[in-house]
Amino acid sequence: MKEWPLWEVFIRSRNGLDHKHVGSLHAADWEMAIENARDVYTRRNEGVSIWVVESKYIHASDPEEQDSMFESARDKVYRHPTFYDIPDEVGHM
Amino acid sequence: MNQPASPSLFQFVLYMADNCLVLGHRLGEWCGHGPVLEQDIAMTNISLDLIGQARLYYQYAAELEGKGRTEDDLAYLRSEREYTNALLVELPNGDFAHTIARQFLFDAWHLPFLKTMLSSPDPGLADIAGKAVKEVTYHLKWSREWVLRLGDGTEESQLRMQVALDEAWMYRLELLMPAPFEQWLIDAGVIAGPDEIREEWERTITDTIREATLVLPEDPAVQTGGKTGIHTEHLGHMLADLQYMQRAYPGLEW
């Protein structure tokens, strides 16, 4: 059982919402992973849909590269759509 | 207009309750001992489903009896001889394969039977079936997939699954052999007879065993007695555990 791969679990809590990462678990195959996810993560009525993906297929950005990846976006305020006057008739956006 | 409830209906509801409580308790014994965390939770989830179903049946039985006994009285204050669950569900957990064999042979009967109970003219039974059938659909999916995984797994898992299946085999038929109280209800059209579910039951079992690359056991022996209160040596010990608190501290609440 130590050889069972790790799976990442994503749950959609309601129709219309996105699947959200909720945690990980071990399972021998994807069917067992979905059943385990159902038993571990939806027993208090948390979900209407489950995705699982083997953890090894998830590639992540490197925390060491935080600055070059994300820092430079911070002073580019012009990328936010905050420089327009929105007519009152448009209402809440 | 209130008609007195049939004693057979009361006995049948108790029988269903006892099946669910005893198997639920057995699965609960795995709590903290499962082979992996996720399966520990899976088994206790199924345990809680079954104990929830048992409560519905006990509550209904208490109402049918109308003598002031409660669900707790029925669960905690009846002796082994008064329990009428099928022998299959009281078998000890054994190794994980034994637990799976017991669960699978029970689910293979439980699901098709509940489906027929959905259209029972007795509204109490139909209501309980409506809730239970969804849970039990998952139970059968879970136990069936484990038979496949262990059977068509490693040499070791296949051997253990086969041994477990062989040992549980002679207990499976009791579920399809009507006790007098069931026969009365079958004749009255309140519950389905075994012929209505036999085909689905048999197909589920044989298809699964074949797909799992296991050998269909050929042992013709059949063990019965549970429905009339004649149990294996195991039930008394289990009830001693299950009923201890109410026996030692009558009326205890918490």
Side-chain angles (χ1 to χ4, degrees):
Chain A
M1 275 162 293
K2 287 215 172 65
E3 313 88 71
W4 284 1
L6 192 67
W7 300 75
E8 301 301 323
V9 181
F10 301 82
I11 305 249
R12 181 163 70 199
S13 54
R14 275 193 293 123
N15 281 324
L17 295 183
D18 295 333
H19 285 74
K20 266 183 83 170
H21 185 237
V22 294
S24 54
L25 46 75
H26 288 92
D29 50 53
W30 68 266
E31 284 165 314
M32 196 201 287
I34 288 196
E35 284 172 25
N36 287 351
R38 180 259 193 198
D39 285 326
V40 176
Y41 291 112
T42 69
R43 54 203 299 277
R44 296 185 186 87
N45 208 12
E46 292 96 334
V48 296
S49 168
I50 298 173
W51 288 351
V52 292
V53 60
E54 247 190 281
S55 307
K56 67 178 182 188
Y57 292 120
I58 293 193
H59 302 276
S61 61
D62 184 354
E64 299 281 313
E65 294 171 1
Q66 194 90 359
D67 287 350
S68 56
M69 290 282 280
F70 307 113
E71 188 66 38
S72 61
R74 259 182 222 158
D75 55 8
K76 297 182 174 62
V77 288
Y78 50 83
R79 289 180 183 166
H80 293 275
T82 50
F83 296 92
Y84 304 95
D85 291 325
I86 298 171
D88 290 341
E89 294 77 38
V90 173
H92 188 66
M93 259 185 92
Chain B
M1 192 170 89
N2 278 332
Q3 290 181 331
S6 121
S8 291
L9 181 59
F10 170 70
Q11 285 180 305
F12 170 73
V13 174
L14 261 190
Y15 156 70
M16 293 298 285
D18 291 347
N19 278 341
C20 292
L21 180 63
V22 170
L23 185 56
H25 187 80
R26 278 286 185 236
L27 288 168
E29 290 172 355
W30 273 104
C31 186
H33 302 278
V36 290
L37 173 78
E38 291 85 351
Q39 293 309 320
D40 198 284
I41 298 175
M43 284 188 282
T44 41
N45 277 352
I46 295 174
S47 166
L48 288 175
D49 285 348
L50 289 169
I51 291 170
Q53 291 170 26
R55 288 195 60 193
L56 297 176
Y57 287 119
Y58 283 132
Q59 287 162 4
Y60 187 34
E63 183 189 318
L64 288 169
E65 187 186 46
K67 289 185 183 165
R69 284 206 285 182
T70 66
E71 53 174 326
D72 287 338
D73 296 331
L74 293 172
Y76 293 121
L77 300 177
R78 281 182 309 133
S79 70
E80 176 195 351
R81 282 296 183 96
E82 294 168 289
Y83 264 71
T84 55
N85 58 277
L87 299 178
L88 177 70
V89 296
E90 72 197 43
L91 298 178
N93 285 338
D95 65 12
F96 187 62
H98 283 87
T99 291
I100 293 298
R102 183 187 63 201
Q103 190 67 37
F104 173 65
L105 291 175
F106 181 73
D107 295 341
W109 165 79
H110 200 195
L111 182 60
F113 182 74
L114 284 177
K115 285 194 212 156
T116 64
M117 214 170 88
L118 285 171
S119 48
S120 170
D122 183 88
L125 291 182
D127 273 3
I128 296 175
K131 176 175 185 294
V133 80
K134 292 174 202 156
E135 296 172 342
V136 174
T137 299
Y138 185 78
H139 300 173
L140 178 59
K141 177 177 158 66
W142 179 85
S143 61
R144 194 186 108 82
E145 284 179 14
W146 270 108
V147 173
L148 297 179
R149 238 177 241 125
L150 295 177
D152 195 11
T154 65
E155 205 177 314
E156 171 83 11
S157 72
Q158 182 174 54
L159 178 68
R160 286 186 183 226
M161 194 63 243
Q162 186 71 56
V163 168
L165 202 56
D166 291 348
E167 288 180 17
W169 195 247
M170 63 182 165
Y171 297 97
R172 80 196 188 291
L173 268 171
E174 186 182 14
L175 293 162
L176 273 86
M177 298 165 69
F181 59 83
E182 287 175 292
Q183 195 57 55
W184 193 93
L185 294 171
I186 293 168
D187 295 340
V190 177
I191 62 170
D195 292 337
E196 290 184 51
I197 63 161
R198 195 183 304 273
E199 200 187 321
E200 184 178 341
W201 168 80
E202 199 143 29
R203 195 176 51 236
T204 302
I205 293 175
T206 52
D207 286 0
T208 304
I209 290 177
R210 193 175 304 123
E211 202 181 327
T213 69
L214 294 163
V215 181
L216 205 63
E218 282 174 7
D219 186 358
V222 175
Q223 286 286 347
T224 60
K227 292 182 182 183
T228 50
I230 311 296
H231 291 278
T232 68
E233 65 195 288
H234 307 295
L235 184 67
H237 292 283
M238 203 202 88
L239 290 181
D241 191 12
L242 189 149
Q243 298 182 334
Y244 171 80
M245 291 300 275
Q246 279 305 319
R247 300 287 193 184
Y249 305 97
L252 176 76
E253 286 181 35
W254 56 329

